[in-house]
Amino acid sequence: MQLQLQHTVAGLALLVPNAVALLRFSCSQLVVERLDPLVTPGVTGSPHVHQIIGGRTSRTTGYVENNNAAAGPSTPRKQNGANTEQTAILYFQARNGTFKRVPQKPNVGFEAANGGMTVYYTPVISGQGQVTAFKPGFRMIVGDPINRAESNVPRQLTFTCLKDPYTRDGETKDFPKQPCPAGIMVNVRFPTCWDGETLDPPDHSSHVAYPASGTFESNGPCPASHPVKIPQLFYEVIFDTTSFNNQADWPEDGSQPFVWSFGDKSANTTTPGYGNHGDYVFGWKGDALQKAMDSNCNINCPELQSQTIQQGNQCSVKDLVGEDIDGWLDELPGGMPVDK
Ligand SMILES: *[C@@H]1O[C@H](CO)[C@@H](O)[C@H](O)[C@H]1NC(C)=O
Ligand SMILES: *[C@@H]1O[C@H](CO)[C@@H](O)[C@H](O)[C@H]1NC(C)=O
């Protein structure tokens, strides 16, 4: 098992070629339903379906309570507190117009329940300077579900067409146009520069920015408006599209058949659709994240209290919305209209 994980680490390390250290957690999926602890906290039935991972005690953020209080959070982070990560969900649209949710799977070597996501926190590359960990109350969104302009897609919000589970090249801003033999990976790299003051502005995004030039990976400088370097938060989400790869089932006009739960088809043969987004609610306990970032520990961090992926899988929550999201559906949950 250890060897297999090492192999996986080598594969994943391609993502961050110069990183000296990073934290990486394979987190199971807590729930998939129309809840949005960030944008519509406390509302049962948000506009579109999300997957939510991580938190279990964040009723204050509108989130659901853990059904299995004895279990930790849905992640190896024991100091998770109310930390939650969420993304939208993909559906397949068949020729007859009906929708089917695309299953997810974890990265190779992990067993996170229902796929979930792999979450990375990376301090500065090459040991240059330090990052300031997120503060209590910090939240952010990268991307915008209503965006349909390629030029407005944040620069590190991409798709990877997986030829095999280790494929890490050829990232694109819109959906792969051809079937992907091992599924579609969604890569969500959040901005890494903060204004140093604002925890959560009304738009949940103007307090953070990408480097003024270059990238986080190339150690690009932060802009004067957002001078404080924060850890690079990065989600990898793998949608297992393999059971939908028969092009005889794809639209007759040759466009791709996948649609985000918020109605964005990103096909570009019909409408360009670039609404990919990721949401983050910081909720680590105490200064655990700052300590881990300062120590530059790599994967196995003695500074952190951790649990196994299997323990994280024990975490479960009630489905508050209680609607069918998995059958062949006549419309997307919530009646979300699909781009034409
Ligand atoms: C629509 O197509 C899917 C995929 O071929 C099929 O499973 C489903 O039964 C169809 N639904 C109807 C109402 O024909
Ligand atoms: C998407 O469509 C626009 C407008 O037709 C075109 O300029 C652009 O190159 C297309 N993008 C891709 C990735 O195909």
Side-chain angles (χ1 to χ4, degrees):
M1 192 56 200
Q2 195 55 32
L3 270 179
Q4 192 186 358
L5 282 178
Q6 291 298 335
H7 182 50
T8 305
V9 169
L12 296 176
L14 290 173
L15 295 165
V16 278
N18 301 314
V20 288
L22 52 79
L23 300 184
R24 185 195 60 207
F25 305 100
S26 177
C27 304
S28 65
Q29 199 170 63
L30 266 178
V31 74
V32 176
E33 62 181 334
R34 283 191 300 117
L35 277 193
D36 189 340
L38 203 166
V39 177
T40 52
V43 174
T44 301
S46 59
H48 62 263
V49 176
H50 293 104
Q51 68 160 331
I52 300 170
I53 69 161
R56 66 184 185 93
T57 55
S58 41
R59 177 65 87 172
T60 49
T61 68
Y63 193 47
V64 286
E65 277 156 14
N66 189 2
N67 250 0
N68 182 0
S74 80
T75 160
R77 303 182 298 249
K78 279 198 94 164
Q79 287 137 317
N80 190 86
N83 203 81
T84 54
E85 288 96 346
Q86 66 182 39
T87 68
I89 285 294
L90 275 194
Y91 279 85
F92 168 79
Q93 189 172 22
R95 281 192 176 182
N96 62 19
T98 61
F99 302 90
K100 182 83 177 161
R101 183 158 80 93
V102 179
Q104 292 174 238
K105 62 181 177 184
N107 264 309
V108 180
F110 296 141
E111 305 86 27
N114 305 314
M117 56 173 111
T118 309
V119 180
Y120 301 80
Y121 290 84
T122 308
V124 285
I125 305 296
S126 309
Q128 307 198 31
Q130 285 200 316
V131 285
T132 301
F134 313 112
K135 303 287 184 212
F138 181 90
R139 296 163 176 218
M140 63 178 163
I141 292 180
V142 64
D144 180 352
I146 64 171
N147 177 48
R148 294 294 181 270
E150 182 174 9
S151 56
N152 291 336
V153 179
R155 65 173 91 151
Q156 289 188 303
L157 209 48
T158 61
F159 300 91
T160 306
C161 182
L162 298 178
K163 296 177 215 62
D164 63 56
Y166 299 102
T167 307
R168 292 296 182 273
D169 58 351
E171 292 180 37
T172 58
K173 284 188 173 178
D174 53 356
F175 278 113
K177 292 179 174 49
Q178 302 297 322
C180 299
I184 295 174
M185 178 180 267
V186 175
N187 310 290
V188 180
R189 297 179 187 84
F190 286 80
T192 52
C193 302
W194 177 44
D195 71 9
E197 289 169 8
T198 316
L199 295 174
D200 184 25
D203 65 5
H204 310 291
S205 59
S206 52
H207 56 333
V208 290
Y210 285 100
S213 60
T215 60
F216 179 80
E217 289 81 356
S218 70
N219 207 23
C222 281
S225 55
H226 297 80
V228 179
K229 270 194 189 184
I230 50 179
Q232 186 188 55
L233 178 68
F234 175 21
Y235 305 163
E236 286 178 333
V237 183
I238 304 176
F239 291 97
D240 186 359
T241 53
T242 51
S243 56
F244 305 108
N245 275 353
N246 182 359
Q247 274 178 299
D249 299 330
W250 285 31
E252 289 171 50
D253 66 4
S255 60
Q256 68 85 39
F258 299 105
V259 52
W260 279 118
S261 52
F262 48 91
D264 176 358
K265 253 194 132 171
S266 284
N268 210 30
T269 48
T270 50
T271 38
Y274 298 104
N276 189 7
H277 62 287
D279 305 336
Y280 182 67
V281 177
F282 174 71
W284 284 57
K285 289 181 184 160
D287 59 357
L289 179 60
Q290 185 69 59
K291 280 196 173 129
M293 292 287 96
D294 290 346
S295 75
N296 267 355
C297 54
N298 193 28
I299 311 285
N300 296 313
C301 290
E303 294 80 6
L304 290 180
Q305 296 163 20
S306 49
Q307 61 179 5
T308 63
I309 293 172
Q310 287 74 14
Q311 283 167 324
N313 289 348
Q314 302 305 308
C315 186
S316 70
V317 296
K318 264 185 226 127
D319 174 352
L320 287 184
V321 182
E323 66 190 350
D324 183 13
I325 56 162
D326 277 326
W328 282 97
L329 307 174
D330 291 337
E331 59 176 11
L332 291 174
M336 189 52 72
V338 175
D339 290 350
K340 288 283 181 285

